[in-house]
Amino acid sequence: SPSLPSRSPLFLSLSFLFSVSVSFFVSHSFLCLIPFFPSLSLFISLSLSLSSRQIHIFESSDPKFGVRPDGSLYAQREVANLSEPIQFMVTARGSKDTHIWETTVKLALAGHTLPPPINQKRAQRQKRAQRQKRAQRQNHKRVITFPRRHQRGSSTNGLRRQKRDWVIPPINVPENSRGPFPQMLVRIRSDQDKEIEIRYSITGAGADQPPSDVYIIDPVTGKMSVTKPLDREDRASYHLRAHAVDVNGNQMEPPIDLYIYVIDMNDNRPEFKNQVYNGSVPEGSKPGTSVMRVTAFDADDSTMPNGLVHYRILNQSPHIPIPNMFTINGATGEISTIAAGLDREKVSQYTLIVQATDMEGSLSFGLSNTATALITVTDVNDNPPEFDTKTFLGEVPENAVGVVVANLTVRDRDQPHTPNWNAVYRIVGGDSMGHFTIRTDEITNDGRVTVVKPVDYERNGAFMLTVVVSNQAHLASGIPSSLSSTAGVTISVLDVNEAPVFPSNPKMIRFEEGVPADTTLTIFAALDPDRFIQQTVRYSKLSDPGNWLRINRTNGQITTTAILDRESPYVKNNVYEATFLAVDNGSPPATGTGTLQIYLIDVNDNVPVLVPKEAQLCERSRPSSRINITASDADSEPNAGPYVFELPSFPPSVRRNWTISRLNGEYAQLRLRIPYLEAGVYRVPIMVSDSGNPPLTNRSMIRVKVCPCDEHGDCTAVGAVASASLGTGAIIAILICIIILLSMVLLFVVWMKRREKERQTKPLLIDPEDDVRDNILKYDEEGGGEEDQDYDLSQLQQPETLDHMMSKPAGVRRVDERPIIPESQYPVRPTLPHPGDIGDFIIDGLRAADNDPTAPPYDSLLVFDYEGSGSTAGSVSSLDSSSSGEQDYDYLNDWGPRFKKLADLYGGGEED
């Protein structure tokens, strides 16, 4: 082994077999048949060689055999008995390194029958059993002795034997041993123990290193023992070193390496990685289709039967269509189908109980464990959709859009809400114009026939559609499409009252502007689409911004009611637009809308206007003192520009002071003709003519402020004030305004005096031009003066007796509470009085109120100004409402419309 030292002074005192196979050799072991001789001295030639390496030293572990440098094997001493095959180890060492390679050689007698061949697994089981028995025997027999190094003399062929190291075979200890402990494994001894006293010890992991005290050795006898049961799954091997020293601690022998291997026992069950495995397989899969793999692990030695796991299926549920639909690979755990007939529509999931057993599946000696495998049968599109019926019916009102007219139902046994189940509908016949489409309901999978283009009852009263349904996913190979995937849909069109339709909408007509009123423009008539029903259409106007048009109610003739003006704000881009309605007499009536557009051709009917209206100019003529002017015209080309600008001949001062020059067809320049013009404001008339046929000319005024200017040509502040001074005409206008204002104030004063005089003449009557709500009535002040401080407080006190009150002199009574006397009876008005009785009724009511001492206010403090003799207002008692004399009520006619009813009743009008 490469891990062993190149020279080790070890040898075995027992003749037990040991073999190690190394991958560097061409063959791991050699089996030779040799004849039997009492003294074997023949050479046996073996092809012992290393690939790509030159070997100088071959050594045999059996002293009876040797190997030459060319690889020839020979016997060094007599071989007494070859009744059983001999096995020994040959080691090799390179010349340039210290690595050691090993192989095993087996020798058997020629002519002897070899043991019958057995399979590898059985051989491993037998070898394992033999090894365990041998290890148990060796625990009491094995003695490891420190060898002595020696050299052999030259052989007959002159070869000199090289020094060699023994390879100590490992010590095998079964795990889980029951003891008793400590349990002896091997004895270490030195051949010098007969001469001196030797002390033995061991070092390494398991002895003096963790895990400590697993192995111990008797320092005197050299017996090495194990102190407790070993667990191969915890630690499979130990590497110790044995030491021999004298009592003084001097090393008597070189240390030897001890390799202890723990022999595996079947003490662990297979464990599945998962307790439940999930797999899937498409329905209709062929036999042999892989489904899933289950895996179990055994902690025992995987190179031995203890750790070799075998799988089997214990149960399948359900047993449809047969109990054994699946099989499992005993070595790998691969589950696959073994029979055909998987149908998701019948069985969607299978449950398998899988067992894993070690000892290569031996039910007698192996340990087992189980897991569950859930196999889902996935859906494939092996069922085409089928209509529930071959014919469907529906109806649709004409001109309707977006309406569902029929519902198509299908059935599909594939898995719902998957591409294998989702239906796709197509119209393959009966709808050449594309009036209908079919949308799929995502929940129910139904097909909804929907109108996407209006249908006309007068053109087509019914539709016969041919519909085909399929799935989103293609059908599986070998599955024919069903005849039930095609159906017919009959759709009846319902007649409705359709609105009249204007053939040309909008309708455009062209006229020159200025068309006079009552001019017939066109006939804007509508057609009734209901050809099978005789209906009458009536027209009306819906929108006419300028109120320029009217329409004949019966025939739709359009005439004008005003002059059409292109420059009107109602005209946009030369087009005047009006909207009209056409209503039939159906049930219910239907209304159609039409738009009439009148394109107005421009005529030259607007004069050009000068722009700008005001300008500013320096009082001294300079090259930069110029005013650019142009014109605007409400007309359009060719009735607008180019314009012609010129100064009028009257008054003569215009052309004497000013001059105008044309820049182009749109602009001209106005400037001073004279070198100096006094500062002020000047109104300069300019004649502007357009390019119409005939052209129109307008005399426009431009207001020019002439002012002193600085060196930059800008008006100075003084100049601006001077130019803004008022002229004579302005001063005269201001004086006239002042005179008018004073006259208005004088007239107002005279009018107020007249009103005051009339109020004194008729104090109780309201002036006919007066409005009661607009007057502030000022009465005399009551209280607060010196004369008001002296008054009799006894008048405010409660009278003690009624007699005292009744005997009080005539005047104003102050009553603090309601008099305790019978209340007066007011006249009762009839329910429906005659108009002539109104006057009598009012007079009776006034008379009763005057004589009623209990009339309000009876519970309040009444304070009046003095109204006795000498008062300008007179006495209250002078208002004698009980007078029976005739009174003139004609003044009620002057009080306005609010009193017109009273004036009719009591005035001088004629009686009924």
Side-chain angles (χ1 to χ4, degrees):
S1 172
S3 63
L4 296 177
S6 60
R7 303 181 63 84
S8 179
L10 302 177
F11 68 93
L12 286 175
S13 61
L14 296 179
S15 302
F16 63 93
L17 303 179
F18 173 68
S19 65
V20 179
S21 56
V22 181
S23 62
F24 290 93
F25 279 90
V26 177
S27 176
H28 294 280
S29 62
F30 298 89
L31 179 61
C32 303
L33 301 180
I34 60 175
F36 174 75
F37 296 97
S39 177
L40 182 63
S41 59
L42 298 178
F43 294 102
I44 303 172
S45 178
L46 296 177
S47 176
L48 302 176
S49 62
L50 284 172
S51 61
S52 70
R53 289 182 181 269
Q54 184 177 0
I55 304 301
H56 293 276
I57 300 174
F58 287 101
E59 295 181 358
S60 172
S61 62
D62 193 339
K64 295 189 286 294
F65 299 95
V67 184
R68 293 178 178 175
D70 60 355
S72 302
L73 180 65
Y74 62 93
Q76 299 193 65
R77 65 182 68 173
E78 293 184 357
V79 181
N81 186 13
L82 284 177
S83 59
E84 294 183 359
I86 298 175
Q87 178 176 308
F88 57 92
M89 185 180 299
V90 176
T91 61
R93 185 173 66 245
S95 60
K96 297 181 180 180
D97 52 41
T98 59
H99 292 288
I100 296 176
W101 293 269
E102 300 176 353
T103 189
T104 302
V105 177
K106 296 180 182 179
L107 300 177
L109 287 175
H112 284 232
T113 305
L114 292 175
I118 57 178
N119 60 57
Q120 183 180 2
K121 294 181 181 179
R122 184 176 178 184
Q124 290 177 351
R125 288 198 299 269
Q126 292 178 356
K127 184 186 294 183
R128 176 181 172 278
Q130 292 174 2
R131 189 184 306 131
Q132 292 176 354
K133 293 179 181 179
R134 191 183 304 115
Q136 294 174 358
R137 291 196 303 269
Q138 289 174 356
N139 289 340
H140 304 283
K141 296 181 181 180
R142 178 176 298 180
V143 179
I144 299 178
T145 305
F146 293 93
R148 302 260 52 84
R149 296 180 181 176
H150 60 277
Q151 296 184 0
R152 291 183 62 89
S154 301
S155 59
T156 56
N157 55 5
L159 294 177
R160 183 178 180 181
R161 182 173 179 83
Q162 302 291 332
K163 295 180 180 181
R164 61 186 177 86
D165 296 334
W166 286 99
V167 179
I168 304 303
I171 301 172
N172 297 318
V173 181
E175 67 173 333
N176 303 323
S177 176
R178 297 183 179 180
F181 297 100
Q183 182 179 8
M184 179 183 172
L185 300 179
V186 71
R187 180 184 176 189
I188 308 296
R189 65 176 294 275
S190 173
D191 55 0
Q192 301 185 44
D193 59 356
K194 296 178 181 179
E195 301 174 0
I196 59 176
E197 187 175 356
I198 302 296
R199 293 291 183 266
Y200 302 98
S201 64
I202 56 176
T203 60
D208 61 344
Q209 300 176 13
S212 304
D213 300 330
V214 178
Y215 300 98
I216 60 175
I217 189 171
D218 190 322
V220 178
T221 63
K223 294 181 179 179
M224 189 179 71
S225 305
V226 62
T227 62
K228 58 183 180 181
L230 302 180
D231 187 0
R232 190 202 69 84
E233 288 72 39
D234 184 27
R235 189 176 184 120
S237 63
Y238 297 86
H239 179 201
L240 304 177
R241 303 195 77 178
H243 306 272
V245 298
D246 59 10
V247 293
N248 296 323
N250 298 320
Q251 180 177 335
M252 303 304 297
E253 300 286 353
I256 60 174
D257 293 294
L258 301 177
Y259 292 91
I260 302 174
Y261 292 98
V262 183
I263 300 175
D264 184 43
M265 306 296 289
N266 191 19
D267 58 345
N268 290 280
R269 292 179 178 273
E271 296 291 340
F272 282 96
K273 185 177 180 180
N274 301 316
Q275 193 58 37
V276 177
Y277 291 84
N278 292 284
S280 62
V281 60
E283 62 176 328
S285 296
K286 297 180 180 179
T289 303
S290 177
V291 179
M292 61 187 300
R293 174 177 288 184
V294 296
T295 306
F297 298 92
D298 198 317
D300 294 325
D301 190 358
S302 59
T303 62
M304 303 298 293
N306 296 339
L308 296 178
V309 180
H310 183 81
Y311 303 92
R312 63 171 55 88
I313 296 177
L314 298 182
N315 183 44
Q316 170 191 307
S317 177
H319 298 169
I320 298 174
I322 60 175
N324 299 318
M325 290 293 296
F326 303 92
T327 184
I328 189 170
N329 188 308
T332 63
E334 185 78 19
I335 299 176
S336 57
T337 60
I338 195 176
L342 291 175
D343 191 352
R344 189 202 65 84
E345 287 72 37
K346 295 180 180 179
V347 179
S348 61
Q349 189 179 69
Y350 289 90
T351 302
L352 303 181
I353 305 300
V354 181
Q355 183 186 56
T357 307
D358 57 14
M359 295 299 293
E360 300 178 308
S362 174
L363 298 178
S364 301
F365 305 101
L367 301 177
S368 302
N369 214 336
T370 59
T372 302
L374 300 179
I375 301 176
T376 301
V377 182
T378 58
D379 184 47
V380 298
N381 194 12
D382 57 348
N383 294 283
E386 299 178 355
F387 283 107
D388 290 339
T389 182
K390 297 296 293 182
T391 303
F392 295 89
L393 300 177
E395 58 183 16
V396 54
E398 64 174 333
N399 301 321
V401 177
V403 179
V404 177
V405 299
N407 191 55
L408 313 181
T409 56
V410 296
R411 57 183 180 274
D412 195 324
R413 292 180 295 172
D414 291 320
Q415 186 173 357
H417 306 292
T418 62
N420 299 331
W421 178 81
N422 295 336
V424 178
Y425 298 88
R426 292 181 296 113
I427 300 175
V428 297
D431 186 22
S432 58
M433 301 300 293
H435 291 283
F436 304 94
T437 188
I438 304 179
R439 299 184 175 94
T440 304
D441 191 307
E442 296 180 355
I443 299 177
T444 63
N445 215 27
D446 294 344
R448 302 189 181 278
V449 183
T450 308
V451 182
V452 295
K453 185 177 179 181
V455 295
D456 190 356
Y457 172 81
E458 285 71 27
R459 293 186 177 182
N460 198 341
F463 291 87
M464 300 293 294
L465 307 181
T466 302
V467 180
V468 175
V469 63
S470 59
N471 291 126
Q472 286 183 353
H474 296 291
L475 284 174
S477 59
I479 304 298
S481 59
S482 174
L483 296 177
S484 300
S485 299
T486 303
V489 182
T490 301
I491 300 176
S492 301
V493 181
L494 303 179
D495 186 24
V496 297
N497 184 26
E498 299 177 79
V501 178
F502 289 89
S504 179
N505 192 14
K507 182 177 182 180
M508 174 74 75
I509 58 177
R510 299 173 65 90
F511 279 89
E512 286 188 351
E513 65 172 328
V515 174
D518 296 328
T519 301
T520 300
L521 300 181
T522 185
I523 295 179
F524 196 35
L527 302 178
D528 192 349
D530 298 311
R531 295 175 295 175
F532 304 121
I533 304 175
Q534 296 297 328
Q535 296 183 138
T536 303
V537 179
R538 292 291 181 264
Y539 302 92
S540 61
K541 187 168 59 174
L542 176 63
S543 173
D544 184 10
N547 197 22
W548 291 350
L549 307 174
R550 65 169 172 265
I551 187 170
N552 188 291
R553 181 174 177 79
T554 58
N555 60 11
Q557 179 176 316
I558 306 294
T559 57
T560 60
T561 59
I563 298 176
L564 305 185
D565 185 8
R566 190 195 69 87
E567 289 73 34
S568 170
Y570 304 115
V571 178
K572 307 297 181 182
N573 297 326
N574 300 333
V575 175
Y576 180 77
E577 190 172 275
T579 306
F580 300 92
L581 299 178
V583 183
D584 62 16
N585 60 345
S587 180
T591 303
T593 304
T595 301
L596 179 65
Q597 294 178 341
I598 305 174
Y599 186 90
L600 296 177
I601 302 172
D602 184 41
V603 297
N604 194 15
D605 57 347
N606 291 276
V607 296
V609 178
L610 189 66
V611 178
K613 296 292 186 181
E614 294 183 356
Q616 185 173 287
L617 199 64
C618 294
E619 60 184 0
R620 297 189 180 276
S621 179
R622 298 184 182 184
S624 60
S625 297
R626 304 172 184 273
I627 301 174
N628 293 330
I629 58 176
T630 184
S632 64
D633 196 329
D635 296 323
S636 61
E637 294 184 356
N639 297 321
Y643 302 102
V644 176
F645 303 90
E646 58 182 353
L647 296 175
S649 58
F650 183 84
S653 61
V654 175
R655 291 189 176 184
R656 182 174 61 251
N657 296 335
W658 305 90
T659 181
I660 190 169
S661 60
R662 180 179 180 183
L663 297 179
N664 52 40
E666 301 293 334
Y667 291 92
Q669 281 187 347
L670 178 67
R671 56 189 176 85
L672 285 175
R673 178 183 293 272
I674 59 180
Y676 174 79
L677 184 64
E678 185 180 356
V681 178
Y682 298 89
R683 296 174 59 85
V684 181
I686 298 177
M687 307 295 294
V688 183
S689 302
D690 59 19
S691 298
N693 187 18
L696 296 181
T697 302
N698 181 29
R699 180 187 176 99
S700 297
M701 302 295 292
I702 180 171
R703 188 168 178 265
V704 181
K705 293 181 180 180
V706 179
C707 60
C709 297
D710 55 15
E711 63 274 8
H712 301 291
D714 298 327
C715 276
T716 61
V718 177
V721 172
S723 62
S725 60
L726 296 177
T728 305
I731 294 175
I732 295 175
I734 293 174
L735 291 176
I736 294 174
C737 291
I738 293 174
I739 293 172
I740 293 174
L741 209 67
L742 293 175
S743 301
M744 292 177 63
V745 172
L746 183 61
L747 290 175
F748 180 75
V749 171
V750 172
W751 179 72
M752 289 297 294
K753 288 184 175 293
R754 181 175 175 271
R755 283 192 60 195
E756 182 66 20
K757 182 178 180 180
E758 291 178 353
R759 186 180 296 111
Q760 292 178 0
T761 305
K762 288 185 176 181
L764 298 180
L765 298 179
I766 300 177
D767 189 80
E769 300 177 359
D770 224 356
D771 190 349
V772 176
R773 295 171 297 173
D774 295 336
N775 291 321
I776 299 177
L777 305 180
K778 182 178 179 181
Y779 296 92
D780 196 3
E781 295 181 355
E782 299 177 355
E786 294 181 358
E787 297 178 356
D788 293 334
Q789 301 299 324
D790 187 12
Y791 50 82
D792 187 6
L793 295 178
S794 63
Q795 301 296 327
L796 305 178
Q797 297 177 357
Q798 171 67 34
E800 295 179 357
T801 61
L802 184 62
D803 296 337
H804 172 75
M805 179 183 67
M806 297 300 293
S807 61
K808 192 174 182 179
V812 179
R813 292 187 304 170
R814 294 175 174 86
V815 183
D816 294 332
E817 66 178 10
R818 183 176 183 177
I820 307 175
I821 59 177
E823 297 182 359
S824 300
Q825 297 297 325
Y826 289 90
V828 179
R829 182 181 179 181
T831 304
L832 296 174
H834 189 274
D837 298 334
I838 295 298
D840 298 337
F841 175 77
I842 294 176
I843 293 173
D844 293 340
L846 292 175
R847 186 182 298 111
D850 290 339
N851 299 325
D852 184 8
T854 64
Y858 50 79
D859 206 7
S860 61
L861 177 63
L862 307 179
V863 179
F864 299 93
D865 197 3
Y866 174 72
E867 296 179 349
S869 59
S871 173
T872 57
S875 177
V876 177
S877 60
S878 63
L879 298 177
D880 187 6
S881 60
S882 61
S883 176
S884 59
E886 294 295 332
Q887 186 174 354
D888 185 10
Y889 294 100
D890 292 339
Y891 59 85
L892 292 177
N893 293 317
D894 300 332
W895 287 9
R898 298 175 180 269
F899 298 92
K900 187 176 186 305
K901 188 66 178 178
L902 289 176
D904 294 340
L905 293 176
Y906 296 98
E910 297 180 358
E911 296 184 357
D912 295 338

